[in-house]
Amino acid sequence: MKLSGIWELKKIALRNLARHRVKTVLTSAAIMVSVAVYIFLNSFLGGMAIESRRNIVNYETGAAKLQTKLYFEKKDEMPSYENFTGWEIYHNVLKNEGYCSAPRYTFSGTLSSAAGSAPVMFFAVDPASEAEVFRYVPYVDFGRYVQNGKFEIALGTVAAEKLKVGIPTRPFRLELDELIASVTRNQSEDDFVRSLYDVASAKKGGLFSSKEKTVAGNERMILKKNASRSDLDRYWNMLAASGRNDVRINAVIDIKAAPETIRPDKWEGELFPALRSEDQPLVRAAYEYDDLMDAYLLIEEDEQRLAHVLDAMVRAGYSGAVSHVNQSIDAVVAGVINSPDPLPNGNTAYIPLDILQDEAGMMLEGAVTELIIREKNVPDSRLPGKSESADVITAALNRGLAAQGRSLPDDLAVHFWLEYMKDYLGYEALQTGAPQIFASLLLILAFLGISNTILLAILERTREIGMMRALGMTDNQMITVYMLEAGFLGFIGAVLGIILGCVINYPVVTYGFDFSDMADTLSGGIGFRTTGSFRSIWNVPVIIGSGIAATLLASFMAYFPTRKAVKMPITDSLRFE
């Protein structure tokens, strides 16, 4: 028998599948499950990654930042002394060029309340600009956002719980009794506060809920989810009147200035070895050694050259170039933030920028550490593209400044949001890559099963193979038949897997996945930048590619066992039992 057409080989392969239905079904099912799991995991993690990136842009970084170059170099240290003034000029230029921007002065400190203290990252902001650029501002669970001219802060939920300020959402009964005794003035107010709480159920609320051991008489209470806004505002005002929301900010003001004198041991042991080679002549020319004082004295008077000297010292990390002044500021918590992004909800506080300008604040005198930029009216779902890149925004700034006869100072630069998130993106790749590797292993195991199935089929059909070869089928045709058979198995499993994967993924794409229980259990820390819910995505290239890969890989897995079988002499094949 001589076969010349590929169609005849296909018919033989399909006939073999029909003859061995149980093996066909089981092998196809294994491929189907593997492909479906891979598609779902890829879409699920892809959706979480995209949602995280959107949250980072909309709630944390904006599309780009205008900062000093030295601040960017040391951004992990948050060097608040690396600031700049005149941000209003750049803000107005960007506005005319189609961008909105928000000034910020970022610093760290300690926030203290009557119940304790906690380290907090502070953002001094202009409330109106902040609301235009960022999306966390409306997410104030209790109270309100900060207002200009008032010594007040908006605090993340994590910090609020640590400091026991604002409305407690899950207090113990005895804790609530103590709170009521300190804030209510009569029985009516006492009954009002108690009416806002229920006893928390001891039953687990979900897969990620934690079960607490409670003592009788000191059960966990929970704030009612259906409490009206007016009731919550009344409750908030009662707490504020009692002084529960009063806090104190303890921070350090970092002031950058070239030191008037430098001791020889500091000059030779700390400063000069750390300077870049190109900066050493500049610093050396700015100081002169005095034998009488046994110290290097500052002699440079030109302000521009002195600024370059100071930048060189700061870049080298010389401690003498920055002085530190402790400052305490009394404030009131105006509201508690609970947004879809973990950063504003954490150990984070927002305070009006205008109250920090003089000695009563941080002595900023108009300085900010960054100007955060976004394109006007951009949809929240869109990640920054070319129009919001650092180069395009820099060009817009230069164009607008040139029209006013100005130029962008050399020490300022615009940086794209991805430049600030390199560490997170590496972590994101790890988080999304590991499960996909697991899914890929499932696929490989399924294809090993195909190889095993084909090998058993060959052993069972050894005499049949010998007979077909005796009738004229070539070795290559024999290999082609079994590769087609395995390919059909892979194709059937891949098609069913794509259908199953899409069916499983559809509700997560349409309705989203709520993992707030897990986020609450882990205090919002799940690795990704999202705290409540997100939607999966349709990754069409992966869906189609996984089907093609499953089909081709299944076919390839049949090659080696079939090649080995056809090497057996025909006479031995016909006698095989």
Side-chain angles (χ1 to χ4, degrees):
M1 183 177 73
K2 186 175 181 180
L3 298 175
S4 57
I6 189 67
W7 176 244
E8 293 298 326
L9 299 180
K10 289 180 181 178
K11 288 200 295 185
I12 295 175
L14 290 170
R15 194 181 304 121
N16 287 340
L17 291 179
R19 288 167 55 197
H20 303 85
R21 294 178 183 175
V22 175
K23 291 179 181 178
T24 299
V25 170
L26 292 177
T27 306
S28 297
I31 298 172
M32 175 188 71
V33 171
S34 300
V35 170
V37 169
Y38 185 83
I39 289 173
F40 176 72
L41 275 178
N42 180 273
S43 301
F44 183 89
L45 294 170
M48 185 172 280
I50 289 177
E51 186 69 16
S52 295
R53 294 187 178 201
R54 288 171 179 160
N55 284 348
I56 288 171
V57 172
N58 292 326
Y59 296 89
E60 299 181 28
T61 67
K65 294 183 181 183
L66 176 66
Q67 292 177 324
T68 69
K69 295 176 181 179
L70 282 177
Y71 189 102
F72 181 77
E73 290 178 15
K74 297 176 175 286
K75 60 184 180 297
D76 294 335
E77 304 171 16
M78 289 194 307
S80 58
Y81 53 83
E82 278 302 329
N83 48 57
F84 61 97
T85 57
W87 63 266
E88 296 90 348
I89 297 171
Y90 312 124
H91 173 82
N92 292 330
V93 167
L94 288 167
K95 183 177 180 180
N96 294 333
E97 293 290 333
Y99 296 93
C100 51
S101 58
R104 277 185 171 184
Y105 185 88
T106 305
F107 63 99
S108 60
T110 302
L111 192 63
S112 303
S113 68
S117 61
V120 170
M121 179 183 295
F122 294 91
F123 297 106
V125 302
D126 174 63
S129 300
E130 196 79 358
E132 192 176 8
V133 172
F134 290 106
R135 300 295 175 259
Y136 73 87
V137 175
Y139 289 94
V140 179
D141 267 2
F142 312 118
R144 57 169 174 75
Y145 196 62
V146 296
Q147 296 177 352
N148 278 329
K150 297 185 178 182
F151 281 84
E152 57 188 25
I153 62 173
L155 201 58
T157 53
V158 174
E161 289 174 2
K162 288 180 180 179
L163 298 174
K164 297 188 183 301
V165 298
I167 296 175
T169 57
R170 291 175 54 84
F172 286 102
R173 185 182 293 276
L174 294 180
E175 183 183 354
L176 182 61
D177 290 342
E178 183 180 344
L179 174 65
I180 291 173
S182 64
V183 303
T184 60
R185 296 169 295 179
N186 51 54
Q187 188 61 42
S188 175
E189 290 185 347
D190 186 308
D191 294 340
F192 165 71
V193 174
R194 293 187 188 280
S195 70
L196 297 176
Y197 290 90
D198 283 328
V199 177
S201 173
K203 186 179 179 181
K204 288 188 177 182
L207 178 62
F208 301 103
S209 299
S210 57
K211 195 171 183 179
E212 293 179 321
K213 292 182 179 180
T214 58
V215 179
N218 192 28
E219 300 87 358
R220 173 72 76 177
M221 309 298 290
I222 187 167
L223 186 69
K224 293 179 179 178
K225 291 185 177 180
N226 61 353
S228 68
R229 188 71 201 186
S230 60
D231 284 345
L232 292 175
D233 288 342
R234 179 187 172 189
Y235 187 15
W236 180 272
N237 292 333
M238 291 170 60
L239 293 170
S242 71
R244 176 184 171 88
N245 293 347
D246 293 345
V247 292
R248 172 167 289 180
I249 301 168
N250 295 295
V252 176
I253 303 172
D254 293 333
I255 301 174
K256 184 173 67 170
E260 294 292 333
T261 62
I262 303 177
R263 298 199 318 263
D265 59 324
K266 289 284 187 180
W267 179 275
E268 298 168 2
E270 182 179 341
L271 174 58
F272 243 74
L275 288 171
R276 299 187 307 185
S277 58
E278 59 267 33
D279 290 335
Q280 290 179 356
L282 179 68
V283 175
R284 189 185 300 277
Y287 284 85
E288 185 179 75
Y289 180 71
D290 185 278
D291 292 325
L292 183 61
M293 296 185 64
D294 189 26
Y296 287 88
L297 305 182
L298 181 65
I299 59 173
E300 182 62 67
E301 295 182 355
D302 182 86
E303 289 188 6
Q304 188 173 2
R305 287 178 58 83
L306 190 57
H308 291 316
V309 170
L310 183 55
D311 287 345
M313 289 182 170
V314 171
R315 190 180 294 110
Y318 178 56
S319 59
V322 180
S323 58
H324 310 285
V325 180
N326 294 318
Q327 178 70 307
S328 294
I329 305 170
D330 291 325
V332 176
V333 177
V336 176
I337 297 171
N338 186 17
S339 76
D341 184 79
L343 180 65
N345 307 344
N347 290 330
T348 308
Y350 299 86
I351 185 169
L353 180 63
D354 65 343
I355 66 170
L356 301 182
Q357 301 305 310
D358 54 24
E359 290 80 2
M362 300 282 290
M363 295 185 289
L364 300 186
E365 298 181 350
V368 297
T369 55
E370 57 198 5
L371 192 63
I372 300 178
I373 306 164
R374 277 234 78 176
E375 193 173 2
K376 283 184 181 177
N377 303 319
V378 65
D380 292 350
S381 60
R382 197 186 83 184
L383 289 173
K386 184 178 180 180
S387 62
E388 295 183 287
S389 67
D391 290 341
V392 172
I393 293 175
T394 301
L397 268 172
N398 286 327
R399 184 168 56 247
L401 289 170
Q404 301 178 13
R406 304 173 184 268
S407 62
L408 189 66
D410 292 338
D411 63 333
L412 293 181
V414 177
H415 295 278
F416 197 47
W417 73 277
L418 289 174
E419 297 181 72
Y420 295 88
M421 304 307 300
K422 288 181 179 179
D423 290 343
Y424 167 76
L425 294 176
Y427 175 79
E428 179 191 279
L430 180 65
Q431 288 286 90
T432 56
Q436 292 188 54
I437 291 174
F438 171 75
S440 300
L441 290 176
L442 286 179
L443 280 173
I444 292 173
L445 289 175
F447 297 134
L448 289 175
I450 292 176
S451 179
N452 185 57
T453 299
I454 296 298
L455 181 60
L456 291 175
I458 289 172
L459 290 174
E460 292 175 356
R461 304 178 210 166
T462 301
R463 293 183 65 186
E464 179 183 327
I465 291 172
M467 186 179 299
M468 295 178 71
R469 291 170 66 201
L471 291 173
M473 181 177 282
T474 66
D475 290 351
N476 287 337
Q477 289 174 330
M478 202 73 240
I479 292 173
T480 301
V481 166
Y482 279 96
M483 288 186 69
L484 286 171
E485 182 178 339
F488 286 134
L489 278 174
F491 178 75
I492 294 169
V495 170
L496 294 176
I498 288 173
I499 294 172
L500 178 60
C502 291
V503 168
I504 297 173
N505 197 41
Y506 176 78
V508 187
V509 171
T510 305
Y511 305 107
F513 178 79
D514 185 355
F515 56 94
S516 53
D517 283 344
M518 178 172 66
D520 287 342
T521 301
L522 300 176
S523 299
I526 62 167
F528 289 95
R529 292 294 222 282
T530 183
T531 60
S533 62
F534 72 96
R535 294 189 178 190
S536 186
I537 60 172
W538 292 117
N539 195 335
V540 176
V542 167
I543 293 173
I544 297 175
S546 62
I548 295 174
T551 302
L552 295 178
L553 191 55
S555 180
F556 176 75
M557 294 298 287
Y559 174 76
F560 293 102
T562 309
R563 186 170 177 271
K564 184 177 181 181
V566 298
K567 287 185 176 182
M568 181 183 293
I570 295 177
T571 53
D572 292 344
S573 298
L574 293 172
R575 289 195 297 268
F576 186 83
E577 295 292 341

